[in-house]
Amino acid sequence: MIKLHQLFPRLAAGAFILSSGLDKRNVDEEHAAMLHGQASTAYPFLADWEPARFVRTLSNTEMALGVALIVPFIPTAFVSLALGVFSGGLVGLYVKTPGATRDGSVRPSPQGIGLAKDTWLVGIAAGLFVDSVSRGKL
């Protein structure tokens, strides 16, 4: 069972990620191609995926993670690790996207603000994980 203080960051992150996944369920081909192109620029192994398959997989992943964070009986240690992996991928996308950071810095450029905001998910994941470990719940 999760602790009350873990509920709030889990709900905030979970609702945000679930909403993002729901929004991607029915994107058109042009939007799917844009999302796929951005992801495969940062992660070249994704270039072989069909854009519609990529977005469907991303949508399903986001919805599953969002629900896992919201549902209180899923252990915090487990969801914090899943959130850490997912948010690490988002931060990697931010760092690897040309023009998202200022030259010679990790500070976001004006164009990178939308990607840089995902760093808060890494902070939530780390905080939840450390809290779980310190309570011997790993």
Side-chain angles (χ1 to χ4, degrees), residues 32-105:
M34 185 273 303
L35 290 171
H36 177 256
Q38 185 178 27
S40 48
T41 296
Y43 299 108
F45 71 90
L46 294 173
D48 294 338
W49 286 41
E50 174 199 3
R53 176 180 170 227
F54 167 75
V55 172
R56 188 171 48 253
T57 302
L58 179 58
S59 171
N60 290 337
T61 301
E62 288 179 334
M63 289 187 297
L65 179 57
V67 168
L69 283 158
I70 292 168
V71 174
F73 58 81
I74 298 178
T76 297
F78 172 76
V79 295
S80 67
L81 287 172
L83 178 60
V85 169
F86 179 76
S87 60
L90 293 174
V91 170
L93 180 70
Y94 160 64
V95 171
K96 294 178 181 185
T97 297
T101 59
R102 297 171 193 252
D103 288 339
S105 174

Side-chain angles (χ1 to χ4, degrees), residues 1-14 65-85 87 121-138:
M1 188 62 141
I2 68 173
K3 300 294 182 190
L4 183 60
H5 68 274
Q6 296 171 337
L7 180 64
F8 303 108
R10 283 182 64 160
L11 285 175
L65 179 57
V67 168
L69 283 158
I70 292 168
V71 174
F73 58 81
I74 298 178
T76 297
F78 172 76
V79 295
S80 67
L81 287 172
L83 178 60
V85 169
S87 60
L121 293 172
V122 173
I124 290 172
L128 289 171
F129 182 75
V130 167
D131 187 60
S132 294
V133 169
S134 69
R135 295 174 181 278
K137 299 292 183 183
L138 185 61

